[in-house]
Amino acid sequence: MSAVVVVGAQWGDEGKGKVIDFLSEQADVVVRHQGGNNAGHTVVVNDQEFKLHLVPSGILYPDTLCVIANGVVIDPKVLLEELAYLNNRGVDTRRLRISSKAHVVMPYHAKLDAVNEDRRGDQKIGTTLRGIGPAYMDKAARVGIRIGDLLHPEEFRERLARVLEEKNHILSRAYGVEPFAFDDLYTTFLDYGQALKPYVADTAIIINDAIDRGERVLFEGAQGTMLDIDHGTYPFVTSSHPSAGGASIGAGVGPTKIDRVYGVAKAYTTRVGDGPFPTELTDAVGDDIRERGHEYGTTTGRARRVGWLDAVVLRHAVRINGLSGLAVTRLDVLDGLKELKIATAYEYEGRPLTEFPDSAWVFRDAQPVYETLPGWDESIGTIRRLEDLPTNAKNYLKRIEAVVGVPVVLVSVGRERSSTIPLRELF
Ligand code: GDP
Ligand code: IMO
Ligand code: MG
C-alpha cells in the first residue's frame, strides 16, 4: 500500500493532526492538499504540544518529506511564522516542499472575508476570517496570485496591479474600507517569495515519483466532509474540497494511485462556526462534554458546538469519500457518562429519513432518531489494547461499525501520540 488519504468525516477538528502524526511514523511523504490556515491541527508528543496550520503534521519525524501541494491556499506570513515556530522548537523544516501553483492568501482576502461576514448578518457562516473563501474565489475567477508568481517580479507586478485595482475599488466603494497601498504589498510579497524560494517545487512530480517508487505517501485532509463545498452543509461550508477527491486534484495525483481512504471521527460530534447540526446538545450534557474535552478551536479559540455521534453524517462520509475505515478519536472524553446516544436516522415532517438529505432546509429541520447505549465508569486513557477497553466501550465501537457500515481501524484515547490503539495495518 503506498498512497493513503486521511479525511475528516464530520465538521473538522476530528483529530486528523493526531492521527496523521501517528501514521507518519510509517510514511515517506506527507501532503497537505487543500484548505489553508483555517486549519488547526494539534500534535502532542511527550507532553509537548504543536499546533500546525499549514505545515503537514508529518514534520515532527526527521526523515519525512512534507509537501504543501497546489490545492492549498497559503498565507506566506503565517507559513513563515509557523516555520520559525517549528525551528525555535528544534524541528528541522528543510524537508518541506511548496507547490509553485498554490495560491497566495493576500491581505485583501482577509479583509473581504471580514466585510462579507459582516454583510451576511444573522446568515453569517462563522468563517475563521483567514481570507480562505476570497482566496479560492480569486483562484476560480482566474485572478489569483500563485506562489510561483512571487518569484517573478515583473509578472507579479502586473498581476498584482490589475487585481488590486479591482479589490481596492470594491473595498473602498462598497464597504468604505481603506484601500491597500500597491508598493507596500508588492515589496512585502516579493520578500515573502524570496524567503519561501528554497522550498518551492513542482510538487506533483515529487509526489507521483514517490508513489511510483513504492514509497508510502499520506495525504492529510483539512476541515471535514460536512464542510466540503459540494458535499457538505452548503452554504455553511468552507471553499475547498475536504473530501477524498480533493486529494487527487489538490496534489495532482490520479485517483487510480490512491489505495485507501480513512475517515477520522470523534466518538461524538463537534462543529465550530454556524450552520445546521441535528445532534447538537445545548444542555448541561453538551456543556459537560465541551469542558471535559476542552472543545475550543485550535485556530480561533471559539467554543465548539457539541453533540452526539451522528451515524447519518458518517454514512454520508463513507459514501462521498469511499472510506475504507474509521479512526475514532476522543473516546476517553466519554468516560463516566451514564449513557451515550447515536443518531441512526432522522425524522422530517413525521417521516423517517435514513440518509443525509440533499436539501439544506430539510437537513436544517431534521430531528435525530437516537439509539441509547450504556456508558462506562473507567478512565480509558492509559489503555493500549482493544481487549482491555471496558465492555461498554467495545460495544459502543461495535455499534458504530454496525450503523456506519465500515470497520473501526484505529481508536484514540488521549492527545498523546502514544495514546493510540491501532486495530490493523493501515498502510
Ligand atoms: P484536527 O483539526 O482534526 O487536526 O483536530 P484539532 O487538533 O483541531 O482538534 C482535536 C483536539 O483533540 C486536539 O486538541 C487534540 O490534541 C485532541 N485529541 C486528539 N485525539 C484525542 C483523543 O483521543 N483524546 C483526547 N482527549 N484528545 C484528543
Ligand atoms: P481543521 O483542519 C473546523 C469552518 C469555519 C466555518 C467554515 C468556513 O482544523 O479541521 P472558512 O474560514 O474555511 O471559510 O470557514 O468552516 N472551518 C473549520 N472548522 N475545523 C477546521 O479545520 C475548519 N476550517 C474551517 O468554522 O464554519
Ligand atoms: Mg482543527
Side-chain angles (χ1 to χ4, degrees), residues 13 39-41 298 304:
D13 298 330
H41 296 182
T298 309
R304 294 177 183 142

Side-chain angles (χ1 to χ4, degrees), residues 1 134 197 301 343 375 381 425:
M1 212 65 71
K197 194 173 172 182
E425 284 294 318

Side-chain angles (χ1 to χ4, degrees), residues 357-374:
D358 61 354
S359 145
W361 45 95
V362 173
F363 186 63
R364 185 193 58 197
D365 296 334
Q367 297 301 316
V369 177
Y370 286 120
E371 201 175 285
T372 302
L373 288 91

Side-chain angles (χ1 to χ4, degrees), residues 11-14 16 38-41 113 125-130 132-133 221-224 227 236-239 271-274 298-299 302:
W11 275 278
D13 298 330
E14 298 91 345
K16 298 175 293 295
N38 47 351
H41 296 182
D113 203 351
I125 297 166
T127 75
T128 60
L129 301 177
R130 298 298 191 268
I132 305 302
Q223 290 78 55
L227 292 170
F236 300 98
V237 293
T238 191
S239 298
R271 170 165 207 175
V272 60
D274 296 85
T298 309
T299 298
R302 290 177 291 177

Side-chain angles (χ1 to χ4, degrees), residues 12-18 40-44 49 266 298 304 328-333 412-415 419:
D13 298 330
E14 298 91 345
K16 298 175 293 295
K18 177 192 159 158
H41 296 182
T42 317
V43 178
V44 182
E49 181 184 68
K266 281 179 185 172
T298 309
R304 294 177 183 142
V328 175
T329 63
R330 288 180 159 259
L331 191 63
D332 55 299
V333 173
S412 172
V413 293
R415 310 184 72 204
S419 311

